[in-house]
Amino acid sequence: MGRFASTASTYEHLRPPYPGEFFRSVAHKLGLSERCALIDLGTGPGLLALGFARHVGRIVGVDPEPAMLEAARQAAARAGQALTLIEGKAETLGPDIGTFDIVTIGRALHWMDRDATLARLDRLVADDGAILICASFSVTDGRNPWLDGYNEIRRRWSPAKLWDEAGKGTRTHRDLPAFFRGSAFAPTELVTVETSHTVSMQDLAQRTLTYSSSSPEALGDNVEAMLRDAESHLAAFSRDGAIAETIVSTAQIVKR
């Protein structure tokens, strides 16, 4: 079982969403059209691939986790959208897959082998194409007052080794200049879209289970205990069972 097999059924609905305005803003910035082909590496349940679908032509999703690919397949069917799915890792894609105008990578770059990924991207990205490193997360500037305690609960219940790996992954994801240093690519513009919404206290507690360090697979018999801990903390910030959340969605554009 892979790291995210036990999170596949809830990941799509519980992680901070990418709003429609995010996809429209990025598509406008890059001049995307139906002539463009897009491949989403580490596609998970297809959030980025399907979000950009109306702005491009061909879309392909790649992921090593069969349960995530099945979630993406079901999401594409609900949307009535054609989506080619490939089981595997970005680093091992065959040369026959061709090139793409847009390569998207969401919450996955920190799981990829740097040297092998850079070599593959060099062949995967069209000459005038772009890589988009995307993220959507709760802002950490105090406007989500429940967040620090929430993350502390995740840390407390997560196996120490997995939490350390998750922390290293976050740092790798954010240090994009270092990741691309010495390659044919460099980060250029950053597209940022901020939105606010409400999420139920129960859903926000359940979101803890979508992270590899606090997934059902990692927690084992401690799932219910952590959920009770999270809900108890969140209750102080809820109004009629709902929690206000401010989210920032970003796309770092990377080009040759």
Side-chain angles (χ1 to χ4, degrees):
M1 180 181 289
R3 290 177 182 270
F4 291 95
S6 61
T7 74
S9 62
T10 55
Y11 192 106
E12 175 186 1
H13 306 290
L14 297 180
R15 279 294 186 99
Y18 291 98
E21 178 57 29
F22 167 78
F23 296 107
R24 290 190 293 271
S25 296
V26 175
H28 177 73
K29 174 68 69 173
L30 294 176
L32 300 185
S33 74
E34 63 182 12
R35 295 187 299 275
C36 296
L38 179 149
I39 187 168
D40 185 29
L41 305 180
T43 194
L47 300 182
L48 289 173
L50 295 173
F52 280 114
R54 68 179 59 186
H55 302 289
V56 298
R58 177 186 177 217
I59 53 173
V60 176
V62 180
D63 202 280
E65 179 52 63
M68 282 294 191
L69 292 176
E70 180 57 29
R73 187 174 291 108
Q74 293 178 15
R78 289 194 299 271
Q81 176 64 52
L83 171 61
T84 300
L85 293 170
I86 299 173
E87 182 180 338
K89 294 184 177 182
E91 303 95 310
T92 57
L93 286 172
D96 58 336
I97 196 169
T99 61
F100 291 81
D101 304 288
I102 302 294
V103 175
T104 55
I105 304 174
R107 306 172 179 110
L109 186 65
H110 51 284
W111 300 116
M112 298 177 182
D113 178 87
R114 178 181 180 273
D115 292 341
T117 298
L118 288 173
R120 193 66 197 89
L121 287 171
D122 197 37
R123 299 190 298 272
L124 198 62
V125 181
D127 289 342
D128 57 350
I131 303 165
L132 299 177
I133 309 297
C134 302
S136 190
F137 51 90
S138 308
V139 300
T140 58
D141 58 7
R143 284 179 290 167
N144 293 313
W146 48 268
L147 185 61
D148 286 345
Y150 177 86
N151 285 335
E152 171 58 25
I153 289 167
R154 285 185 51 226
R155 185 203 64 76
R156 187 163 65 244
W157 285 101
S158 298
K161 180 178 184 295
L162 293 182
W163 183 263
D164 289 343
E165 288 178 358
K168 291 175 182 176
T170 300
R171 290 191 292 274
T172 301
H173 180 84
R174 291 175 178 171
D175 193 3
L176 294 182
F179 185 89
F180 288 103
R181 188 171 297 129
S183 75
F185 301 97
T188 57
E189 297 180 78
L190 179 69
V191 179
T192 301
V193 173
E194 188 177 289
T195 54
S196 296
H197 69 159
T198 59
V199 58
S200 76
M201 186 174 71
Q202 290 75 21
D203 280 355
L204 194 52
Q206 289 279 335
R207 185 189 291 172
T208 59
L209 302 179
T210 69
Y211 298 93
S212 63
S213 59
S214 54
S215 67
E217 176 73 8
L219 294 177
D221 294 338
N222 291 324
V223 168
E224 293 303 323
M226 188 189 71
L227 291 178
R228 287 194 297 271
D229 202 359
E231 288 191 18
S232 177
H233 165 70
L234 293 170
F237 302 93
S238 73
R239 175 175 294 183
D240 298 326
I243 304 286
E245 180 178 29
T246 300
I247 291 171
V248 61
S249 301
T250 63
Q252 176 64 67
I253 300 172
V254 180
K255 292 188 174 183
R256 295 183 193 274

